[in-house]
Amino acid sequence: MPELPEVETVARGLERALKGRRILSLRLNRADLRWPLPAGLADAVQAQRVVAVGRRAKYLLVHLEAGSVLLAHLGMSGRLVIGGASGDGRHDHVVITLEDGVVVRFNDARRFGLLDYAPTVAALESHPRLKGLGPEPLGNQFNGPALAASLAGKKTPLKAALLDQRVVAGLGNIYVCESLYYANLSPRRLARTVTGARAETLAQAIRDVLQRAIAAGGSSLRDYVQATGELGYFQHHWAVYGKEGKPCPGCDCGKGIRRIVQSGRSTFYCARRQR
DNA sequence: CTTTCGTCCTGACTGC
DNA sequence: TGCAGTCAGGACGAAA
């Protein structure tokens, strides 16, 4: 489940493999992707050199020399596999061939992911998929007061608010659970009650959790480039996510980590520590 | 306007 | 061993 740290890790690995290389072709293998490729995408990227690979929220941004940008979202199961075929190739929906024999496959069994395109960097800002996204949690715009302002008046549970990409961009179920744990805040708390020092603590917890995860992902970059496409981020150790019934690592309450369902998604938390 | 909910998709897992 | 059933989740659009 790629969230911000995983996408950041992929972006760094991709940049290392693609930067400076020219795209020779982009081939679509199946027409029934959930979000069809933009018309003319293959022609638009043809013969373009990759100048950089970046990230906005959970979107990968492949910057091309003409100033255009190829966007990729990995959804739940999406991967960008560098090199050999991924598995039996059944889910290699898009294959991009570059100079020097470099091949990137957009492989996505569940097809929740997507590719998109912005003709210019200026258009990127107002691209339908990026417009309306909240601040980057690791950027300068994100801090306690900004987070409190976004949560002000919100009657939804804090958990749901943090999953809203308009509030803060790039968090998914895992890192929301982890951040709330380290901030000692209950996922059930009304979002609008998070102000002042609480918002400051939460903003800092979000940044810390993400930075630690990126650091861990960075150490497995070598694995990422392998033909298997494995990222290694499944080996992350979480404090609460997926830990139902396990002891809370931060207190001796004995009741352990609880799992509840909010908005149809699992939430993991310590009911004693998180208030 | 805000908020909630259903939809999509299939591999991995559970239980009989 | 086999098979049916359940679960996971991001983005989006419809409904409330």
Side-chain angles (χ1 to χ4, degrees), chain A residues 14-259:
Chain A
L14 267 187
E15 173 157 290
R16 202 169 58 174
L18 305 189
K19 188 173 181 179
R21 296 209 162 93
R22 199 177 290 279
I23 294 176
L24 300 180
S25 69
L26 182 151
R27 186 180 86 233
L28 175 65
N29 282 339
R30 63 184 296 168
D32 61 341
L33 298 183
R34 188 186 316 280
W35 290 282
L37 298 192
L41 177 66
D43 288 339
V45 303
Q46 165 93 42
Q48 287 293 311
R49 203 180 289 278
V50 175
V51 296
V53 181
R55 178 192 60 74
R56 172 74 170 110
K58 300 173 199 171
Y59 288 89
L60 287 158
L61 307 176
V62 181
H63 292 269
L64 305 176
E65 61 184 333
S68 55
V69 185
L70 179 65
L71 288 74
H73 195 296
L74 300 178
M76 277 193 65
S77 56
R79 300 184 301 168
L80 286 167
V81 183
I82 301 169
S86 51
D88 60 7
R90 257 195 317 155
H91 303 297
D92 290 345
H93 305 319
V94 177
V95 179
I96 303 173
T97 305
L98 298 98
E99 292 175 323
D100 305 326
V102 174
V103 178
V104 179
R105 296 159 201 277
F106 174 61
N107 176 280
D108 188 7
R110 270 170 263 191
R111 280 185 277 152
F112 276 31
L114 63 92
L115 297 186
D116 212 329
Y117 180 76
T120 67
V121 171
L124 187 61
E125 309 297 323
S126 55
H127 191 283
R129 302 216 175 263
L130 303 187
K131 135 185 100 175
L133 285 175
E136 283 291 321
L138 298 179
N140 293 331
Q141 313 291 328
F142 184 72
N143 51 35
L147 178 57
S150 294
L151 298 176
K154 279 199 173 291
K155 297 173 182 169
T156 56
L158 181 54
K159 160 82 183 301
L162 293 178
L163 283 173
D164 186 338
Q165 301 297 297
R166 295 169 299 185
V167 171
V168 54
L171 301 183
N173 205 37
I174 295 173
Y175 291 103
V176 167
C177 290
E178 295 293 307
S179 299
L180 288 172
Y181 173 78
Y182 288 108
N184 293 332
L185 290 172
S186 169
R188 309 170 65 169
R189 170 187 283 273
L190 221 56
R192 65 182 178 191
T193 67
V194 177
T195 61
R198 281 195 186 109
E200 198 60 61
T201 302
L202 178 54
Q204 194 55 53
I206 289 170
R207 300 175 73 108
D208 288 348
V209 163
L210 295 177
Q211 270 162 354
R212 284 204 304 273
I214 290 171
S219 65
S220 63
L221 261 182
R222 194 175 300 108
D223 301 330
Y224 167 69
V225 188
Q226 289 176 357
T228 61
E230 293 302 324
L231 271 170
Y233 54 71
F234 302 108
Q235 297 151 23
H236 280 331
H237 57 280
W238 317 115
V240 291
Y241 184 82
K243 302 288 186 185
E244 183 179 16
K246 298 268 170 53
C248 164
C251 67
D252 56 357
C253 56
K255 297 176 71 175
I257 303 302
R258 285 184 56 186
R259 184 181 84 94

